[in-house]
Amino acid sequence: MDVLLQYKALLVAMVLLLWLLLERLRPADHWPESRHKRYRRLGNNLGLWLINVGMSVLLVIPLTALAAGHGLSWRPGWWSGAGGLVLDIVLLDMAIYGWHVANHRVALLWRFHRVHHEDEFLDVTSALRFHFGEVLLSACARSALIVALGFPLQSVIVFEALVLVAAGFHHSNMALPPRLEQWLSWVLVTPAIHWVHHHAVREHTDSNYATVFSLWDRLFRTRSSFQRHSGMRIGVAGGQEQGIVRLLWQPFGKPP
Ligand SMILES: [Zn+2]
C-alpha cells in the first residue's frame, strides 16, 4: 500500500507539473496585473495546501484506511477486478458530485467551501486551495460511504489520484484548441466548464458541479449554458481575497 501511495504521489505531481507548464506556455486568460494580487492568492493557495498535506498525513489517510478496512462486505463476486475498479470510480465520482452540490446548498458546508471560491483567478494552484474544515468534513462523508459500499482502498487511492489530476486540469488556465476542448467536454470536465462554476455570479457558481466525468451535470440538469470568456470575473459576488489568517478564521465567524 505504501508503494501504491508513493507512486500515486509521484504520478500526480508529474501530471500537475505538466498542467503548470501548459498553462504558462498557452494561457487562456491574463493573470491579475497587480503583483500584490498575484502573490497574495499564490501564498493563500499554497499555504492552505500545506496545511491540508499535514492534515492528510495525520488524519485523512488513516481515517480512509480505517474505513476501507471496515467496509461492509455485501458486494457480489462480479463487482471486483478491473470492471469493479471502473464501477467504483464512476460511483465515487457521482458521490463527489452530490457532495459538491451539498457544499453549495447547505449553509454550514458553504461557509468552508466559499474559501475555495474566493480565489479571484484560476490556475492549477486553485485546485489545491481548500479550507481544512472542508477537507475534514469531506473525509468524514467519504469514509461513511466507503464503509457503506465496501469500497476497497485501492479503488479509493486510484480515484483520489484521478480527482487531483482532474482538478488541476479543470481549474487550470491552459488554452486548449477549441475543437479538442469541445470533444473532451462530452466526457470530461474541461477548464471551459469549470471556470463557469467559478464565475462571480451565483447562478453560474451553482452549476457545473462535476469533477471528473461531465455527464453528472447533464444527467441531473445542473449544466450551465453560459460560455466562459476572457476577462470574466472569477470569485464570489461581493467577496474579495483576504489574507490566509482571515481565510482560515472566516468559516467560524459571522457569515460575510
Ligand atoms: Zn464549488
Side-chain angles (χ1 to χ4, degrees), residues 100-101 103-104 110 113 116-117 130 134 194 197-198 205-209:
H100 193 182
V101 173
N103 270 272
H104 281 246
W110 173 249
H113 187 56
H116 173 65
H117 275 273
F130 289 97
E134 178 176 349
H194 198 72
H197 180 71
H198 282 265
T205 310
D206 292 341
S207 69
N208 295 7
Y209 296 105

Side-chain angles (χ1 to χ4, degrees), residues 9 27 31 44 52 66-67 88 99 148 154 158 164 167 172 194 201 211 237 239:
W31 271 273
N44 284 348
N52 292 334
L66 187 73
D88 286 345
W99 177 249
Q154 287 88 337
V158 171
L164 287 167
S172 81
H194 198 72
V201 172
T211 298

Side-chain angles (χ1 to χ4, degrees), residues 3-137:
V3 175
L4 195 60
L5 280 170
Q6 278 166 9
Y7 273 121
K8 175 199 153 188
L10 191 68
L11 205 68
V12 168
M14 279 168 59
V15 179
L16 290 182
L17 281 174
L18 176 67
W19 299 157
L20 274 169
L21 188 70
L22 289 175
E23 73 178 3
R24 285 284 153 188
L25 290 175
R26 240 177 88 91
D29 209 341
H30 304 289
W31 271 273
E33 274 182 21
S34 147
R35 245 184 198 207
H36 173 68
K37 277 192 173 181
R38 282 209 306 268
Y39 287 128
R40 188 161 70 165
R41 64 171 288 274
L42 195 64
N44 284 348
N45 296 359
L46 296 181
L48 290 169
W49 173 63
L50 279 176
I51 295 171
N52 292 334
V53 168
M55 220 179 44
S56 285
V57 172
L58 291 174
L59 283 169
V60 176
I61 294 173
L63 184 67
T64 308
L66 187 73
H70 291 81
L72 301 178
S73 50
W74 56 268
R75 289 180 166 222
W78 56 263
W79 194 349
S80 60
L85 175 67
V86 172
L87 182 59
D88 286 345
I89 286 169
V90 172
L91 287 174
L92 284 165
D93 195 46
M94 186 171 74
I96 213 175
Y97 164 87
W99 177 249
H100 193 182
V101 173
N103 270 272
H104 281 246
R105 299 199 180 159
V106 178
L108 174 73
L109 299 180
W110 173 249
R111 278 172 172 251
F112 293 99
H113 187 56
R114 185 188 162 105
V115 172
H116 173 65
H117 275 273
E118 279 181 352
D119 198 351
E120 292 181 325
F121 192 76
L122 291 179
D123 57 22
V124 174
T125 69
S126 309
L128 309 172
R129 176 193 174 111
F130 289 97
H131 192 281
F132 69 85
E134 178 176 349
V135 174
L136 263 184
L137 287 165

